[in-house]
Amino acid sequence: MFSIRKARPEDCSSIARVHSDAVRAIGPGYYSAEELESWQRPRPVADYEQSIQNKEFLVATNGELIVAFGVLNPETREIEALYTSPAVRGTGVGLNLLEQLEQKAEEFGFTSVSLNASLNAVGFYERAGFVAQTESTYRLASGLEIRCIPMIKRLA
């Protein structure tokens, strides 16, 4: 059984593991080996800690194990991250986490929320009601730019 809670500073190493595992599991054809290598490197712990403190940072757990995380930036009205461990893909945990982030956005009074979808995740977000915009690029922490699809969803 999965549960969702606010992230805590002591979760940072588990969050970094989920990030790396999720990117490593992206199938061939979406991104080059160089892009995936750069992207799967976890951010510094201080970056995660700052996001936990300043943003709506949620984790999904299975028992004590963190299996997914998501981040809503209230200032930009953007879902900045949503990553799931490969072992829980297709179980609904990612969608549940996304719905929780959307609920947080509604609590802030937002009428819409945006995100930059990785190429492999566009279908997931479309099924969740997001509408794709024109392809763009996203700058990774390393400085490397990867292709992405900006998406928007109108909220209730």
Side-chain angles (χ1 to χ4, degrees):
M1 184 68 184
F2 300 106
S3 61
I4 295 176
R5 63 169 171 79
K6 288 186 79 75
R8 302 184 291 245
E10 59 268 24
D11 296 331
C12 291
S13 62
S14 295
I15 290 165
R17 177 192 43 77
V18 168
H19 172 117
S20 292
D21 290 351
V23 174
R24 196 174 299 115
I26 293 174
Y30 293 107
Y31 296 100
S32 72
E34 176 190 13
E35 289 168 328
L36 291 171
E37 175 63 32
S38 180
W39 186 7
Q40 74 183 8
R41 283 186 226 128
R43 293 179 177 266
V45 169
D47 287 0
Y48 290 125
E49 289 173 341
Q50 184 177 20
S51 289
I52 289 168
Q53 184 176 23
N54 299 322
K55 299 173 184 174
E56 292 296 321
F57 200 129
L58 304 177
V59 295
T61 61
N62 185 2
E64 295 297 312
L65 181 66
I66 293 175
V67 295
F69 71 92
V71 181
L72 171 67
N73 184 332
E75 288 184 22
T76 62
R77 299 176 181 220
E78 178 182 21
I79 295 174
E80 292 183 340
L82 182 65
Y83 290 89
T84 59
S85 293
V88 298
R89 287 215 177 115
T91 64
V93 69
L95 182 59
N96 194 305
L97 190 55
L98 180 61
E99 290 169 347
Q100 293 290 320
L101 293 171
E102 290 173 10
Q103 183 177 343
K104 293 284 185 187
E106 289 175 345
E107 289 170 9
F108 282 112
F110 302 164
T111 57
S112 65
V113 67
S114 64
L115 55 81
N116 287 308
S118 56
L119 301 179
N120 58 296
V122 171
F124 167 79
Y125 290 116
E126 285 177 334
R127 288 187 299 279
F130 282 80
V131 177
Q133 309 299 298
T134 304
E135 186 174 305
S136 186
T137 57
Y138 177 82
R139 184 179 300 273
L140 299 172
S142 67
L144 185 70
E145 290 189 353
I146 61 171
R147 294 170 36 223
C148 71
I149 305 295
M151 301 185 85
I152 297 173
K153 181 175 182 178
R154 300 273 174 232
L155 302 173

